[in-house]
Amino acid sequence: ANDKMSPTQGAGVPRRKAMITNPEQLRKNVRRAMLKLNETKDKAPAVIEQRQIDFAWCMVDWRTFDPASPLLVFQADPGSKEPSALEQLVITLKNSSSSQVHYACCAAIAYLSVRQDVRAALVETGSGPLMESLDLMVRRLEATENAGLRYAICAIATELCKGEAGLMRLRDINFAQALERLRQKKKEPRDKDAALEMIIDHLCNELRPKMS
């Protein structure tokens, strides 16, 4: 299957019905999908994986039609220890071994990272699941052969580069070096991805310390 697919076709994406654009209904869809993630007893691995993918793409659908902050709309519940929606994406990215789940989660995080408050949460949170989100991105980037996942992680990094805090964190975790290692893995001409090469060049340039 072609990994550089639209969110409406192929593996790693949800089973689609008629498009819904009402923000309130989309919020309900996200909450329903989050609940289903906890209903995994006696479920086959393929069912669990599809639910994780569906949840991530529900977040994309919601973000497309609702300008509200996910940090406010889908908050964590300390009483029940339920994570926020953003935390759930990171938890799923960490716990799943499926590259298609990783792709869906990173695509959703990339969509959410357009917001400054989400970028701040990813780079400034000092505890909990979000604290390790960027280190986790590097591990997934270096381990995957999924082109879509590489694009999604680079999209997240591109958003994080918009602020000084994001640039500093990406430099701290040696993200540019991880990109260069990825480039070195693709030495054969047939392995080259011209579009990804351009993105890597842009990110490496952004992450290069600026001379004062």
Side-chain angles (χ1 to χ4, degrees), residues 10-22:
V13 294
R15 296 155 294 201
R16 292 281 176 166
K17 298 179 181 178
M19 179 175 285
I20 298 170
T21 60
N22 179 274

Side-chain angles (χ1 to χ4, degrees), residues 108-122:
I109 293 170
Y111 265 75
L112 299 178
S113 296
V114 173
R115 291 188 56 94
Q116 190 278 332
D117 58 346
V118 172
R119 296 196 297 271
L122 291 173

Side-chain angles (χ1 to χ4, degrees), residues 5-6 24 26 44 72 76 93 95 131 140 143 152 161-162 178 187:
M5 59 186 70
S6 76
E24 195 55 47
L26 291 167
L72 297 176
L93 179 63
N95 293 339
M131 181 177 64
R140 294 298 182 226
C161 283
K162 291 179 178 179
K187 287 185 176 180

